[in-house]
Amino acid sequence: MSDTLLTARGIRKAFGDHEVLRGVDLDVRRGQVVALIGPSGSGKTTMLRSLNGLETPSAGTLEVSGGPALDFSRPVTQRERHALRDRSAMVFQQHNLFPHMTVLQNVMEGPVQVRRVPRAQAQQRALELLDRVGLADKRDAYPRQLSGGQQQRVGIVRALALSPDLLLFDEPTSALDPELVGEVLTVMKELAEEGWTMVVVTHELSFARAVADEVLFLDGGVVLERGAPAQIFSAPREERTRQFLHRLLNPLD
Amino acid sequence: MNWELFASSFWPIVLGGLKGTIPLALVSFAIGLVLALGVALLRLSKNPLLAWLGRAYVSVIRGTPLLVQLFVIFYGLPSLGVTIDPWPSAVVAFSLNVGGYAAEVIRAAILSVPQGQWEAAYTVGMSRTRALRRIVLPQAARVSVPPLSNTFISLVKDTSLASLILVAEAFRQAQVIASATFDYMLLYLEAALVYWLFCTVLSFAQTRLERRLERYV
Protein backbone atom coordinates (compact mmCIF):
# COMPACT_ATOMS: atom_id res chain seq x y z
CA MET A 1 0.00 0.00 0.00
CA SER A 2 1.13 3.55 -0.65
CA ASP A 3 0.78 4.67 2.96
CA THR A 4 3.47 2.34 4.20
CA LEU A 5 5.91 4.33 6.32
CA LEU A 6 8.45 1.74 7.30
CA THR A 7 9.39 -1.68 6.04
CA ALA A 8 11.95 -3.82 7.82
CA ARG A 9 12.90 -7.24 6.54
CA GLY A 10 15.00 -9.94 8.11
CA ILE A 11 16.58 -7.72 10.77
CA ARG A 12 19.34 -9.56 12.58
CA LYS A 13 21.61 -8.29 15.31
CA ALA A 14 24.34 -10.05 17.20
CA PHE A 15 26.31 -8.76 20.19
CA GLY A 16 29.42 -10.90 20.00
CA ASP A 17 28.25 -14.51 19.87
CA HIS A 18 24.84 -13.68 21.22
CA GLU A 19 22.19 -13.21 18.56
CA VAL A 20 19.56 -10.85 19.91
CA LEU A 21 17.53 -10.51 16.72
CA ARG A 22 17.20 -13.46 14.38
CA GLY A 23 15.30 -12.17 11.39
CA VAL A 24 12.52 -9.75 12.32
CA ASP A 25 10.08 -8.29 9.79
CA LEU A 26 8.12 -5.16 10.60
CA ASP A 27 5.72 -3.05 8.59
CA VAL A 28 4.37 0.22 9.88
CA ARG A 29 1.71 2.15 8.03
CA ARG A 30 1.14 5.86 8.49
CA GLY A 31 -1.05 6.56 11.49
CA GLN A 32 -0.59 3.08 12.84
CA VAL A 33 0.38 2.21 16.41
CA VAL A 34 2.47 -0.94 16.69
CA ALA A 35 3.23 -2.41 20.10
CA LEU A 36 6.23 -4.66 20.64
CA ILE A 37 5.78 -6.93 23.63
CA GLY A 38 7.75 -9.86 24.96
CA PRO A 39 9.92 -11.03 27.82
CA SER A 40 13.13 -9.15 28.63
CA GLY A 41 15.92 -10.27 26.36
CA SER A 42 13.45 -11.00 23.58
CA GLY A 43 15.04 -8.33 21.40
CA LYS A 44 12.17 -5.84 21.34
CA THR A 45 14.22 -2.87 22.51
CA THR A 46 17.07 -3.76 20.14
CA MET A 47 14.55 -3.90 17.30
CA LEU A 48 13.18 -0.47 18.23
CA ARG A 49 16.69 0.99 18.45
CA SER A 50 17.52 -0.45 15.06
CA LEU A 51 14.73 1.65 13.56
CA ASN A 52 16.60 4.91 14.19
CA GLY A 53 20.17 3.73 13.98
CA LEU A 54 21.01 3.60 17.68
CA GLU A 55 21.81 -0.02 16.92
CA THR A 56 23.15 -1.13 13.59
CA PRO A 57 21.75 -4.53 12.60
CA SER A 58 24.16 -7.10 11.22
CA ALA A 59 21.78 -8.07 8.42
CA GLY A 60 18.43 -7.19 6.93
CA THR A 61 16.93 -4.22 5.13
CA LEU A 62 15.13 -1.16 6.40
CA GLU A 63 13.23 1.22 4.20
CA VAL A 64 11.59 4.41 5.40
CA SER A 65 9.25 6.34 3.15
CA GLY A 66 10.86 9.64 2.23
CA GLY A 67 14.05 8.41 3.84
CA PRO A 68 16.84 6.00 3.08
CA ALA A 69 16.69 2.35 2.07
CA LEU A 70 19.32 0.58 4.11
CA ASP A 71 20.87 -2.78 3.49
CA PHE A 72 22.69 -3.85 6.63
CA SER A 73 24.75 -6.47 4.87
CA ARG A 74 27.02 -3.58 3.87
CA PRO A 75 28.35 -0.79 6.10
CA VAL A 76 25.90 2.01 6.89
CA THR A 77 27.27 5.47 6.16
CA GLN A 78 26.98 8.32 8.63
CA ARG A 79 24.85 10.11 6.06
CA GLU A 80 22.36 7.24 5.87
CA ARG A 81 22.19 7.04 9.62
CA HIS A 82 21.34 10.75 9.81
CA ALA A 83 18.75 10.42 7.06
CA LEU A 84 17.17 7.58 9.03
CA ARG A 85 17.15 9.57 12.28
CA ASP A 86 15.60 12.55 10.57
CA ARG A 87 12.39 10.57 10.07
CA SER A 88 11.88 9.55 13.68
CA ALA A 89 12.12 10.69 17.26
CA MET A 90 12.54 8.61 20.38
CA VAL A 91 11.21 8.60 23.91
CA PHE A 92 13.48 6.72 26.28
CA GLN A 93 12.84 4.62 29.33
CA GLN A 94 15.04 6.93 31.40
CA HIS A 95 13.76 10.14 29.79
CA ASN A 96 17.39 11.20 28.99
CA LEU A 97 16.49 14.87 29.17
CA PHE A 98 19.50 17.20 29.02
CA PRO A 99 20.04 18.07 32.71
CA HIS A 100 21.92 21.31 32.04
CA MET A 101 19.05 22.79 30.03
CA THR A 102 15.63 24.02 31.06
CA VAL A 103 12.49 22.28 29.87
CA LEU A 104 12.06 24.82 27.10
CA GLN A 105 15.70 24.55 26.01
CA ASN A 106 15.41 20.75 25.97
CA VAL A 107 12.46 20.95 23.61
CA MET A 108 13.98 23.64 21.37
CA GLU A 109 17.46 22.14 21.13
CA GLY A 110 16.76 19.81 18.22
CA PRO A 111 14.68 22.18 16.10
CA VAL A 112 17.00 25.17 16.62
CA GLN A 113 20.43 23.53 16.60
CA VAL A 114 19.85 20.77 14.09
CA ARG A 115 16.83 21.67 11.98
CA ARG A 116 17.70 25.38 11.86
CA VAL A 117 14.18 26.47 12.75
CA PRO A 118 14.17 30.19 13.67
CA ARG A 119 14.34 30.56 17.45
CA ALA A 120 11.07 32.48 17.84
CA GLN A 121 9.17 29.96 15.77
CA ALA A 122 10.72 27.00 17.60
CA GLN A 123 9.86 28.58 20.94
CA GLN A 124 6.26 29.17 19.96
CA ARG A 125 5.88 25.58 18.84
CA ALA A 126 7.61 24.28 21.96
CA LEU A 127 5.28 26.26 24.20
CA GLU A 128 2.21 25.01 22.32
CA LEU A 129 3.37 21.43 22.74
CA LEU A 130 4.23 21.92 26.42
CA ASP A 131 0.83 23.46 26.96
CA ARG A 132 -0.80 20.43 25.40
CA VAL A 133 0.77 18.09 27.95
CA GLY A 134 0.00 20.55 30.75
CA LEU A 135 3.58 21.67 31.36
CA ALA A 136 3.68 25.21 29.96
CA ASP A 137 4.28 26.57 33.47
CA LYS A 138 7.39 24.37 33.81
CA ARG A 139 9.15 25.91 30.82
CA ASP A 140 11.99 27.37 32.90
CA ALA A 141 12.36 24.43 35.29
CA TYR A 142 15.32 22.08 35.08
CA PRO A 143 14.56 18.39 34.51
CA ARG A 144 15.61 17.36 38.02
CA GLN A 145 12.98 19.69 39.47
CA LEU A 146 10.20 17.68 37.81
CA SER A 147 8.46 14.48 38.82
CA GLY A 148 9.14 11.33 36.82
CA GLY A 149 5.86 11.64 34.95
CA GLN A 150 6.53 15.29 34.10
CA GLN A 151 10.04 14.42 32.92
CA GLN A 152 8.66 11.76 30.64
CA ARG A 153 6.03 14.13 29.26
CA VAL A 154 8.79 16.62 28.46
CA GLY A 155 10.63 13.72 26.79
CA ILE A 156 7.56 13.18 24.61
CA VAL A 157 7.31 16.87 23.78
CA ARG A 158 11.01 16.95 22.87
CA ALA A 159 10.29 14.15 20.42
CA LEU A 160 7.16 15.83 19.03
CA ALA A 161 9.01 19.12 18.49
CA LEU A 162 11.04 17.41 15.78
CA SER A 163 7.79 16.78 13.84
CA PRO A 164 8.90 13.24 13.08
CA ASP A 165 7.08 10.83 10.79
CA LEU A 166 7.56 8.13 13.37
CA LEU A 167 7.54 8.19 17.17
CA LEU A 168 9.51 5.48 18.91
CA PHE A 169 8.83 4.67 22.57
CA ASP A 170 11.21 2.47 24.54
CA GLU A 171 9.31 1.28 27.63
CA PRO A 172 8.35 4.87 28.44
CA THR A 173 6.63 4.02 31.72
CA SER A 174 8.84 1.22 33.06
CA ALA A 175 10.98 3.53 35.18
CA LEU A 176 8.03 5.41 36.67
CA ASP A 177 6.32 5.06 40.01
CA PRO A 178 2.99 3.28 39.44
CA GLU A 179 0.87 6.35 40.22
CA LEU A 180 2.70 8.36 37.52
CA VAL A 181 2.21 5.86 34.71
CA GLY A 182 -1.29 7.04 33.88
CA GLU A 183 -0.40 10.63 32.99
CA VAL A 184 2.19 9.43 30.46
CA LEU A 185 -0.04 6.78 28.92
CA THR A 186 -2.84 9.33 28.61
CA VAL A 187 -0.61 11.60 26.53
CA MET A 188 0.46 8.67 24.37
CA LYS A 189 -3.15 7.64 23.84
CA GLU A 190 -4.03 11.16 22.71
CA LEU A 191 -1.13 11.13 20.26
CA ALA A 192 -2.35 7.86 18.81
CA GLU A 193 -5.83 9.32 18.42
CA GLU A 194 -4.38 12.33 16.63
CA GLY A 195 -2.91 10.02 14.07
CA TRP A 196 0.77 9.93 15.02
CA THR A 197 2.59 6.86 13.81
CA MET A 198 4.06 5.07 16.80
CA VAL A 199 6.12 2.02 17.58
CA VAL A 200 5.94 1.28 21.29
CA VAL A 201 7.95 -1.21 23.32
CA THR A 202 5.86 -1.72 26.42
CA HIS A 203 4.87 -3.92 29.31
CA GLU A 204 1.61 -2.03 29.70
CA LEU A 205 -0.72 -4.63 28.25
CA SER A 206 -3.85 -2.62 28.87
CA PHE A 207 -2.33 0.25 26.90
CA ALA A 208 -1.34 -2.04 24.05
CA ARG A 209 -4.80 -3.55 24.02
CA ALA A 210 -6.58 -0.21 24.02
CA VAL A 211 -4.34 1.80 21.71
CA ALA A 212 -2.31 -0.46 19.42
CA ASP A 213 -3.49 -1.41 15.94
CA GLU A 214 -1.09 -4.29 15.82
CA VAL A 215 0.80 -6.20 18.50
CA LEU A 216 3.99 -8.16 17.90
CA PHE A 217 5.07 -10.73 20.44
CA LEU A 218 8.82 -11.22 20.31
CA ASP A 219 10.62 -14.09 21.94
CA GLY A 220 14.20 -15.21 21.49
CA GLY A 221 14.86 -12.67 18.75
CA VAL A 222 11.98 -13.61 16.46
CA VAL A 223 8.38 -12.46 16.11
CA LEU A 224 6.53 -15.42 17.51
CA GLU A 225 3.10 -14.02 16.90
CA ARG A 226 1.58 -10.89 15.43
CA GLY A 227 -1.95 -9.66 15.06
CA ALA A 228 -4.66 -7.35 16.27
CA PRO A 229 -4.56 -6.80 20.04
CA ALA A 230 -7.93 -8.48 20.52
CA GLN A 231 -6.59 -11.65 18.94
CA ILE A 232 -3.20 -11.62 20.69
CA PHE A 233 -4.59 -10.92 24.12
CA SER A 234 -7.80 -12.95 23.96
CA ALA A 235 -6.87 -15.85 21.75
CA PRO A 236 -3.10 -16.19 21.47
CA ARG A 237 -2.13 -18.94 19.09
CA GLU A 238 1.28 -19.69 20.56
CA GLU A 239 1.87 -21.43 23.87
CA ARG A 240 4.78 -19.04 24.64
CA THR A 241 2.52 -16.02 24.15
CA ARG A 242 -0.06 -17.54 26.48
CA GLN A 243 2.58 -18.19 29.14
CA PHE A 244 3.98 -14.66 28.83
CA LEU A 245 0.58 -13.00 29.09
CA HIS A 246 -0.39 -15.21 31.98
CA ARG A 247 2.79 -14.36 33.89
CA LEU A 248 2.32 -10.64 33.32
CA LEU A 249 -1.31 -10.66 34.35
CA ASN A 250 -0.90 -13.09 37.27
CA PRO A 251 2.56 -12.43 38.66
CA LEU A 252 1.88 -14.40 41.85
CA ASP A 253 0.98 -17.68 40.21
CA MET B 1 62.68 36.11 64.79
CA ASN B 2 63.54 39.16 62.76
CA TRP B 3 60.11 40.77 62.48
CA GLU B 4 61.44 43.81 60.74
CA LEU B 5 62.85 41.68 57.92
CA PHE B 6 59.64 39.68 57.88
CA ALA B 7 57.55 42.82 57.46
CA SER B 8 59.78 44.43 54.87
CA SER B 9 59.99 41.29 52.71
CA PHE B 10 56.34 40.30 52.94
CA TRP B 11 55.10 42.70 50.30
CA PRO B 12 57.84 41.91 47.73
CA ILE B 13 57.02 38.19 48.00
CA VAL B 14 53.27 38.80 47.67
CA LEU B 15 53.97 41.07 44.72
CA GLY B 16 56.10 38.31 43.18
CA GLY B 17 53.06 36.10 43.62
CA LEU B 18 50.64 38.55 42.08
CA LYS B 19 52.89 39.56 39.21
CA GLY B 20 54.73 36.27 38.69
CA THR B 21 53.10 33.20 40.17
CA ILE B 22 49.44 33.90 39.43
CA PRO B 23 49.81 35.09 35.80
CA LEU B 24 52.16 32.19 35.10
CA ALA B 25 49.66 29.74 36.57
CA LEU B 26 46.66 31.29 34.82
CA VAL B 27 48.23 31.42 31.37
CA SER B 28 49.66 27.91 31.67
CA PHE B 29 46.38 26.56 32.96
CA ALA B 30 44.36 28.13 30.13
CA ILE B 31 46.67 26.77 27.44
CA GLY B 32 46.96 23.47 29.30
CA LEU B 33 43.18 23.00 29.39
CA VAL B 34 42.83 23.44 25.63
CA LEU B 35 45.64 20.97 25.15
CA ALA B 36 44.06 18.60 27.68
CA LEU B 37 40.73 18.61 25.87
CA GLY B 38 42.51 17.67 22.67
CA VAL B 39 44.46 14.90 24.38
CA ALA B 40 41.31 13.62 26.11
CA LEU B 41 39.53 13.44 22.74
CA LEU B 42 42.51 11.61 21.26
CA ARG B 43 42.35 9.10 24.09
CA LEU B 44 38.62 8.59 23.49
CA SER B 45 39.07 8.27 19.74
CA LYS B 46 38.04 5.03 18.08
CA ASN B 47 41.09 5.34 15.83
CA PRO B 48 43.71 3.19 17.58
CA LEU B 49 46.63 5.31 16.39
CA LEU B 50 45.09 8.53 17.73
CA ALA B 51 44.13 6.82 20.98
CA TRP B 52 47.70 5.53 21.32
CA LEU B 53 49.06 9.02 20.68
CA GLY B 54 46.94 10.42 23.49
CA ARG B 55 47.95 7.62 25.84
CA ALA B 56 51.64 8.07 25.02
CA TYR B 57 51.44 11.79 25.73
CA VAL B 58 49.78 11.31 29.10
CA SER B 59 52.24 8.56 29.97
CA VAL B 60 55.29 10.70 29.19
CA ILE B 61 53.99 13.76 31.06
CA ARG B 62 52.90 11.85 34.12
CA GLY B 63 55.90 9.56 34.11
CA THR B 64 58.57 12.27 34.19
CA PRO B 65 59.27 14.96 36.80
CA LEU B 66 57.99 18.44 36.08
CA LEU B 67 61.42 19.82 36.96
CA VAL B 68 63.02 17.62 34.30
CA GLN B 69 60.45 18.75 31.73
CA LEU B 70 61.18 22.37 32.60
CA PHE B 71 64.94 21.87 32.31
CA VAL B 72 64.65 20.03 28.98
CA ILE B 73 62.79 23.00 27.56
CA PHE B 74 64.92 25.78 29.06
CA TYR B 75 68.40 24.21 29.16
CA GLY B 76 67.98 21.38 26.66
CA LEU B 77 66.35 22.99 23.66
CA PRO B 78 69.08 25.63 23.10
CA SER B 79 71.46 22.81 22.09
CA LEU B 80 69.01 22.10 19.28
CA GLY B 81 69.10 25.76 18.35
CA VAL B 82 65.81 26.63 20.06
CA THR B 83 66.31 29.22 22.77
CA ILE B 84 63.28 30.35 24.73
CA ASP B 85 63.22 33.01 27.42
CA PRO B 86 62.56 31.94 31.02
CA TRP B 87 58.94 33.04 31.24
CA PRO B 88 57.75 31.47 27.98
CA SER B 89 59.80 28.37 28.81
CA ALA B 90 57.94 28.05 32.06
CA VAL B 91 54.59 28.58 30.32
CA VAL B 92 55.42 25.86 27.78
CA ALA B 93 56.51 23.39 30.46
CA PHE B 94 53.55 24.01 32.76
CA SER B 95 51.03 23.99 29.89
CA LEU B 96 52.33 20.66 28.62
CA ASN B 97 52.18 19.35 32.17
CA VAL B 98 48.62 20.51 32.79
CA GLY B 99 47.75 19.09 29.38
CA GLY B 100 48.73 15.64 30.57
CA TYR B 101 47.11 15.68 33.99
CA ALA B 102 43.91 17.53 33.07
CA ALA B 103 43.44 15.27 30.04
CA GLU B 104 42.78 12.37 32.39
CA VAL B 105 40.31 14.45 34.39
CA ILE B 106 38.46 15.57 31.28
CA ARG B 107 38.45 12.08 29.83
CA ALA B 108 36.94 10.67 33.02
CA ALA B 109 34.38 13.49 33.10
CA ILE B 110 33.32 12.83 29.51
CA LEU B 111 33.00 9.12 30.29
CA SER B 112 30.91 9.92 33.36
CA VAL B 113 28.16 11.43 31.20
CA PRO B 114 25.61 8.64 30.73
CA GLN B 115 25.42 6.94 27.33
CA GLY B 116 21.75 7.91 27.23
CA GLN B 117 22.75 11.56 26.84
CA TRP B 118 24.66 10.76 23.65
CA GLU B 119 21.73 8.71 22.40
CA ALA B 120 19.21 11.45 23.17
CA ALA B 121 21.45 13.92 21.32
CA TYR B 122 21.64 11.59 18.32
CA THR B 123 17.88 11.11 18.25
CA VAL B 124 17.27 14.85 18.10
CA GLY B 125 19.47 14.77 15.02
CA MET B 126 22.89 15.77 16.31
CA SER B 127 26.18 14.61 14.90
CA ARG B 128 28.84 13.23 17.24
CA THR B 129 30.69 16.55 17.26
CA ARG B 130 27.60 18.57 18.02
CA ALA B 131 26.47 16.11 20.69
CA LEU B 132 29.88 16.45 22.30
CA ARG B 133 29.84 20.23 22.20
CA ARG B 134 26.22 20.94 23.12
CA ILE B 135 25.29 18.05 25.39
CA VAL B 136 28.25 16.11 26.73
CA LEU B 137 30.96 18.72 27.33
CA PRO B 138 28.75 21.11 29.35
CA GLN B 139 27.88 18.23 31.66
CA ALA B 140 31.46 17.00 31.76
CA ALA B 141 32.64 20.52 32.58
CA ARG B 142 30.51 20.55 35.70
CA VAL B 143 31.81 17.21 36.82
CA SER B 144 35.40 18.22 36.24
CA VAL B 145 35.35 21.51 38.16
CA PRO B 146 36.42 20.04 41.52
CA PRO B 147 39.32 17.93 40.20
CA LEU B 148 40.44 20.68 37.80
CA SER B 149 40.42 23.18 40.66
CA ASN B 150 42.78 20.86 42.47
CA THR B 151 44.97 20.70 39.38
CA PHE B 152 45.08 24.48 39.33
CA ILE B 153 45.98 24.78 43.00
CA SER B 154 48.77 22.24 42.50
CA LEU B 155 49.95 24.24 39.53
CA VAL B 156 50.13 27.45 41.58
CA LYS B 157 52.52 25.70 43.95
CA ASP B 158 54.44 23.97 41.15
CA THR B 159 55.22 27.31 39.50
CA SER B 160 57.78 27.80 42.30
CA LEU B 161 59.97 25.48 40.23
CA ALA B 162 60.25 28.31 37.70
CA SER B 163 62.50 30.07 40.22
CA LEU B 164 65.16 27.58 39.11
CA ILE B 165 65.18 29.14 35.65
CA LEU B 166 65.13 32.57 37.27
CA VAL B 167 61.51 33.52 36.58
CA ALA B 168 60.58 36.35 38.93
CA GLU B 169 57.81 34.77 40.95
CA ALA B 170 57.04 34.56 44.67
CA PHE B 171 59.64 31.99 45.63
CA ARG B 172 62.33 33.65 43.54
CA GLN B 173 61.68 36.89 45.44
CA ALA B 174 62.13 35.05 48.73
CA GLN B 175 65.35 33.49 47.45
CA VAL B 176 66.77 36.83 46.36
CA ILE B 177 66.09 38.41 49.75
CA ALA B 178 67.35 35.32 51.60
CA SER B 179 70.64 35.23 49.75
CA ALA B 180 71.21 38.88 50.68
CA THR B 181 70.23 38.57 54.36
CA PHE B 182 71.20 34.90 55.00
CA ASP B 183 67.94 34.46 56.94
CA TYR B 184 66.86 31.39 54.97
CA MET B 185 64.51 29.99 57.60
CA LEU B 186 62.54 33.20 57.90
CA LEU B 187 62.27 33.93 54.19
CA TYR B 188 61.38 30.39 53.12
CA LEU B 189 58.76 30.11 55.87
CA GLU B 190 57.43 33.44 54.71
CA ALA B 191 57.26 32.18 51.15
CA ALA B 192 55.40 29.12 52.40
CA LEU B 193 52.97 31.42 54.20
CA VAL B 194 52.34 33.43 51.03
CA TYR B 195 51.67 30.28 48.99
CA TRP B 196 49.39 29.04 51.72
CA LEU B 197 47.45 32.32 51.68
CA PHE B 198 47.07 32.18 47.91
CA CYS B 199 45.90 28.58 47.98
CA THR B 200 43.45 29.27 50.79
CA VAL B 201 41.85 32.03 48.75
CA LEU B 202 41.72 29.71 45.73
CA SER B 203 40.16 26.88 47.78
CA PHE B 204 37.54 29.32 48.98
CA ALA B 205 36.81 30.36 45.38
CA GLN B 206 36.65 26.69 44.42
CA THR B 207 34.03 25.98 47.09
CA ARG B 208 31.95 28.92 45.92
CA LEU B 209 32.16 27.80 42.30
CA GLU B 210 31.21 24.22 43.13
CA ARG B 211 28.24 25.37 45.14
CA ARG B 212 27.02 27.49 42.26
CA LEU B 213 27.32 24.58 39.84
CA GLU B 214 25.47 22.20 42.17
CA ARG B 215 22.31 24.08 41.38
CA TYR B 216 22.21 22.65 37.87
CA VAL B 217 23.48 19.12 38.22
Side-chain angles (χ1 to χ4, degrees):
Chain A
M1 272 182 72
S2 61
D3 63 349
T4 297
L5 182 63
L6 180 148
T7 312
R9 288 288 173 270
I11 298 293
R12 306 180 81 89
K13 174 69 181 177
F15 294 105
D17 285 343
H18 181 56
E19 230 185 359
V20 181
L21 293 176
R22 299 184 294 140
V24 175
D25 296 348
L26 176 66
D27 294 273
V28 183
R29 281 178 284 112
R30 269 183 212 284
Q32 199 183 22
V33 177
V34 177
L36 305 182
I37 64 169
S40 57
S42 61
K44 53 193 192 306
T45 289
T46 306
M47 183 62 197
L48 187 81
R49 289 162 60 87
S50 298
L51 299 182
N52 73 345
L54 284 182
E55 304 287 355
T56 305
S58 15
T61 59
L62 176 60
E63 200 172 328
V64 181
S65 160
L70 304 179
D71 179 354
F72 296 112
S73 57
R74 53 175 182 75
V76 177
T77 65
Q78 210 47 252
R79 193 192 187 85
E80 286 174 319
R81 213 187 299 271
H82 277 289
L84 182 62
R85 285 194 185 126
D86 270 356
R87 316 310 308 171
S88 65
M90 191 165 212
V91 178
F92 296 88
Q93 182 174 356
Q94 312 280 352
H95 62 81
N96 290 352
L97 293 178
F98 305 132
H100 58 302
M101 295 182 182
T102 64
V103 164
L104 187 61
Q105 288 168 337
N106 262 279
V107 177
M108 287 171 60
E109 182 69 9
V112 171
Q113 290 295 324
V114 183
R115 302 271 164 92
R116 300 285 164 204
V117 177
R119 189 164 281 277
Q121 191 184 326
Q123 173 161 346
Q124 192 191 348
R125 168 119 172 102
L127 289 174
E128 280 167 20
L129 290 169
L130 284 171
D131 191 37
R132 265 192 34 192
V133 301
L135 291 173
D137 59 327
K138 299 288 185 193
R139 54 180 279 180
D140 294 323
Y142 283 90
R144 61 175 188 85
Q145 298 169 314
L146 305 179
S147 73
Q150 290 171 332
Q151 288 169 339
Q152 200 54 294
R153 280 185 282 157
V154 175
I156 293 173
V157 168
R158 180 173 69 179
L160 294 179
L162 297 165
S163 308
D165 291 335
L166 177 64
L167 281 171
L168 306 172
F169 293 85
D170 182 12
E171 303 196 28
T173 57
S174 299
L176 295 181
D177 290 335
E179 77 272 19
L180 301 176
V181 168
E183 62 187 81
V184 173
L185 292 183
T186 305
V187 171
M188 290 170 63
K189 187 161 177 288
E190 285 166 9
L191 294 175
E193 284 160 2
E194 279 170 36
W196 288 88
T197 314
M198 301 160 55
V199 178
V200 185
V201 171
T202 186
H203 288 297
E204 297 291 336
L205 298 187
S206 58
F207 172 81
R209 178 185 276 251
V211 177
D213 299 298
E214 188 178 22
V215 176
L216 274 67
F217 175 69
L218 277 83
D219 191 33
V222 293
V223 178
L224 215 55
E225 188 163 359
R226 69 175 82 209
Q231 182 254 310
I232 297 277
F233 292 119
S234 310
R237 276 187 291 265
E238 298 288 333
E239 180 55 28
R240 286 284 299 146
T241 317
R242 253 195 298 278
Q243 285 173 0
F244 172 74
L245 293 174
H246 185 82
R247 264 207 315 278
L248 227 59
L249 296 170
N250 309 282
L252 292 180
D253 279 12
Chain B
M1 195 84 172
N2 186 345
W3 288 110
E4 209 170 307
L5 178 60
F6 182 91
S8 66
S9 54
F10 188 74
W11 186 239
I13 297 175
V14 169
L15 212 59
L18 293 176
K19 284 162 75 173
T21 303
I22 296 298
L24 184 57
L26 279 177
V27 172
S28 306
F29 193 66
I31 299 173
L33 276 189
V34 176
L35 189 64
L37 177 60
V39 175
L41 293 178
L42 282 182
R43 287 216 52 187
L44 292 167
S45 165
K46 284 190 189 116
N47 180 324
L49 182 70
L50 295 181
W52 179 86
L53 212 65
R55 238 188 2 258
Y57 179 84
V58 171
S59 171
V60 168
I61 292 295
R62 296 213 299 188
T64 56
L66 176 53
L67 182 61
V68 174
Q69 295 164 14
L70 184 66
F71 273 33
V72 165
I73 288 163
F74 185 71
Y75 292 114
L77 285 184
S79 64
L80 299 177
V82 183
T83 306
I84 315 178
D85 282 346
W87 203 82
S89 287
V91 168
V92 170
F94 295 138
S95 302
L96 291 174
N97 197 261
V98 168
Y101 281 92
E104 289 301 278
V105 171
I106 293 173
R107 186 180 79 101
I110 289 175
L111 287 175
S112 79
V113 176
Q115 189 59 27
Q117 290 292 312
W118 286 98
E119 293 185 351
Y122 292 152
T123 58
V124 301
M126 291 189 189
S127 64
R128 212 180 136 71
T129 315
R130 194 186 294 271
L132 180 73
R133 196 163 50 82
R134 297 280 311 172
I135 306 301
V136 175
L137 281 184
Q139 295 182 55
R142 266 148 218 194
V143 178
S144 53
V145 163
L148 285 182
S149 305
N150 293 336
T151 305
F152 182 69
I153 290 174
S154 296
L155 175 66
V156 167
K157 292 177 291 178
D158 287 346
T159 53
S160 59
L161 290 174
S163 63
L164 290 165
I165 60 169
L166 310 184
V167 171
E169 44 70 68
F171 189 61
R172 176 75 193 144
Q173 293 303 323
Q175 274 183 320
V176 168
I177 302 168
S179 58
T181 59
F182 302 106
D183 207 338
Y184 295 105
M185 189 58 164
L186 176 87
L187 267 304
Y188 289 166
L189 279 180
E190 197 170 7
L193 175 70
V194 170
Y195 278 104
W196 178 74
L197 287 174
F198 278 10
C199 290
T200 305
V201 171
L202 289 172
S203 299
F204 179 72
Q206 176 186 2
T207 312
R208 292 271 311 250
L209 183 61
E210 282 170 24
R211 221 171 269 152
R212 266 193 56 189
L213 290 176
E214 262 169 31
R215 274 187 257 157
Y216 304 96
V217 183

